[in-house]
Amino acid sequence: MTPSPISIDSSPSDTGQALAQAETLCQERGVRLTDLRRRVLEIIWSHSKPMGAYAILDVLRDDGRQGAPPTVYRALDFLLEQGLIHRLASLNVYAGCCQPDSRHGGQFLICRDCGQVNEMNSPAVENLLGAEAAARRFEVLTQMVEVLGRCPDCQRGTLSDVG
Amino acid sequence: MTPSPISIDSSPSDTGQALAQAETLCQERGVRLTDLRRRVLEIIWSHSKPMGAYAILDVLRDDGRQGAPPTVYRALDFLLEQGLIHRLASLNVYAGCCQPDSRHGGQFLICRDCGQVNEMNSPAVENLLGAEAAARRFEVLTQMVEVLGRCPDCQRGTLSDVG
DNA sequence: GAGGTAATGTTATCTTATAGCAAATATGCC
DNA sequence: GGCATATTTGCTATAAGATAACATTACCTC
Ligand SMILES: [Zn+2]
Ligand SMILES: [Zn+2]
Ligand SMILES: [Zn+2]
Ligand SMILES: [Zn+2]
């Protein structure tokens, strides 16, 4: 019923919800969420930490599916275009987007110790960044914000590196 | 005398100033700005756009200097540690820091069309990001902000892609 | 100059990402 | 269904970015 109050991990239900919403969005937009693309999105969501392209490829191969790097990169390109995932440039990893219905670059809190990533998407930050850019006569297309630090859990115990 | 009001490019004097300041900072800190490290910093500053590691390596080789990737990556690591340059993760390039005396992650306006990069470093943005992170009980170590868009020049004419 | 530390040279390798073309699959029309 | 079309996927090769490991050289102190 009620979602667990502290969700460190992407639970199966999170994954399910994300997939369902992706399905809906793709239908609305008239684009095809193929088996491969859906599976890549599922792999990303069902892991606790954002994944690199080659880690995703490994899972696909464990599935028994054929594939080479272009296979996964093309799926990632599609998911990125549709705003269903983000790329964290500082880590070369890909993470599911929590609000795929509204386009945004993404603001992320990345834990140095356990690797967890939290998508912030503070409108205040977005607006201020836009204002500062505008003050410099700069036309904004996309914003990328990545904050590296320590998550609440890793501050508490030193249960670092939970894998 | 007066610095040019619109500085699209890093002028030789900018480069000279940056090198002089780097020299001073490294002396104060008791670290060695060797020939190689100084030259890499100079190469970065004397180019109009941020450069990739292998582009820097090419220039080093044009100098007649020996070198392989580790040569330039070690120099870059040193310059990054000392806060003399930044890495723009979204582009895999390195850019000189305008305020190397104060440590910061860096906030960048990156022009999609001409590739120019402008370091913003708005304290307001930094503070707000810090506050938003703190509200989520997240301990900030470093912030990285990269805003992709179009610089004033590229909005005016469509003198895009000035190379 | 001997000894220790820091920096650089050198080779090989690893990770991340893309180009290019062929085969397969979905879609739309007759 | 049969066929033309465009999209998607398979597959090989390769580009681009970054690091590991170890040998050599420069620098500093005694
Ligand atoms: Zn998002
Ligand atoms: Zn953590
Ligand atoms: Zn800076
Ligand atoms: Zn521009």
Side-chain angles (χ1 to χ4, degrees), chain B residues 19-61:
Chain B
L19 288 176
Q21 188 173 12
E23 207 78 58
T24 304
L25 284 173
C26 287
Q27 278 204 357
E28 286 173 7
R29 295 172 187 167
V31 296
R32 290 170 53 197
L33 186 64
T34 61
D35 279 354
L36 175 62
R37 292 165 174 173
R38 188 185 302 104
R39 179 63 180 133
V40 169
L41 184 59
E42 182 182 26
I43 290 168
I44 291 173
W45 269 102
S46 58
H47 275 68
S48 57
K49 301 187 218 176
M51 303 177 73
Y54 282 73
I56 295 170
L57 183 56
D58 286 342
V59 179
L60 283 177
R61 284 174 169 159

Side-chain angles (χ1 to χ4, degrees), chain A:
Chain A
M1 295 283 107
T2 55
S4 58
I6 298 178
S7 165
I8 329 179
D9 212 83
S10 12
S11 70
S13 70
D14 284 345
T15 303
Q17 275 195 326
L19 287 176
Q21 187 174 10
E23 207 78 59
T24 305
L25 284 172
C26 287
Q27 279 203 356
E28 287 173 7
R29 295 171 185 168
V31 295
R32 292 170 49 199
L33 187 64
T34 61
D35 279 354
L36 175 63
R37 292 164 175 172
R38 188 185 304 105
R39 178 63 182 134
V40 169
L41 184 59
E42 183 183 26
I43 290 169
I44 290 173
W45 268 102
S46 58
H47 275 68
S48 57
K49 301 188 219 176
M51 304 177 73
Y54 282 74
I56 296 168
L57 183 56
D58 286 342
V59 178
L60 283 177
R61 283 173 170 159
D62 287 348
D63 283 0
R65 196 185 282 262
Q66 296 162 310
T71 306
V72 68
Y73 277 105
R74 281 187 293 228
L76 290 172
D77 284 345
F78 172 84
L79 297 171
L80 285 168
E81 278 166 19
Q82 296 302 319
L84 298 168
I85 62 172
H86 295 284
R87 180 177 130 87
L88 304 188
S90 66
L91 300 175
N92 294 326
V93 294
Y94 303 83
C97 174
C98 302
Q99 297 154 15
D101 49 336
S102 78
R103 294 304 175 89
H104 54 269
Q107 303 165 2
F108 296 94
L109 303 179
I110 305 170
C111 181
R112 180 200 57 177
D113 291 346
C114 71
Q116 301 289 345
V117 166
N118 202 310
E119 188 171 0
M120 252 196 332
N121 294 344
S122 151
V125 169
E126 180 165 354
N127 291 337
L128 180 57
L129 257 180
E132 293 277 6
R136 292 162 176 79
R137 307 274 178 271
F138 190 88
E139 178 191 0
V140 175
L141 293 172
T142 62
Q143 303 177 357
M144 285 163 287
V145 175
E146 300 183 22
V147 177
L148 186 70
R150 293 171 74 207
C151 75
D153 290 336
C154 289
Q155 290 169 54
R156 252 187 284 283
T158 312
L159 307 164
S160 314
D161 221 45
V162 187

Side-chain angles (χ1 to χ4, degrees), chain B residues 32 53-54 69-70 73-74 77 87 92 94:
Chain B
R32 290 170 53 197
Y54 282 73
Y73 277 105
R74 281 188 291 227
D77 284 345
R87 179 175 132 88
N92 294 328
Y94 302 83

Side-chain angles (χ1 to χ4, degrees), chain B:
Chain B
M1 299 280 109
T2 56
S4 58
I6 298 175
S7 167
I8 329 179
D9 211 82
S10 13
S11 70
S13 69
D14 283 345
T15 303
Q17 275 195 326
L19 288 176
Q21 188 173 12
E23 207 78 58
T24 304
L25 284 173
C26 287
Q27 278 204 357
E28 286 173 7
R29 295 172 187 167
V31 296
R32 290 170 53 197
L33 186 64
T34 61
D35 279 354
L36 175 62
R37 292 165 174 173
R38 188 185 302 104
R39 179 63 180 133
V40 169
L41 184 59
E42 182 182 26
I43 290 168
I44 291 173
W45 269 102
S46 58
H47 275 68
S48 57
K49 301 187 218 176
M51 303 177 73
Y54 282 73
I56 295 170
L57 183 56
D58 286 342
V59 179
L60 283 177
R61 284 174 169 159
D62 288 348
D63 284 0
R65 197 185 284 261
Q66 297 163 305
T71 306
V72 67
Y73 277 105
R74 281 188 291 227
L76 290 172
D77 284 345
F78 172 84
L79 297 170
L80 286 168
E81 277 167 19
Q82 296 303 320
L84 297 168
I85 62 173
H86 294 284
R87 179 175 132 88
L88 303 188
S90 66
L91 300 174
N92 294 328
V93 294
Y94 302 83
C97 173
C98 303
Q99 297 153 16
D101 48 337
S102 78
R103 294 304 176 87
H104 54 269
Q107 303 166 2
F108 296 95
L109 304 178
I110 304 169
C111 181
R112 181 200 57 178
D113 291 347
C114 72
Q116 301 289 344
V117 166
N118 203 310
E119 189 172 358
M120 252 196 332
N121 293 345
S122 150
V125 169
E126 181 165 352
N127 291 338
L128 180 57
L129 258 180
E132 293 276 6
R136 291 163 177 78
R137 306 276 178 268
F138 191 87
E139 178 192 358
V140 174
L141 293 172
T142 61
Q143 303 177 356
M144 285 164 285
V145 175
E146 300 183 21
V147 177
L148 187 69
R150 293 170 74 207
C151 75
D153 292 337
C154 289
Q155 291 170 53
R156 252 187 284 282
T158 312
L159 307 164
S160 314
D161 223 44
V162 186

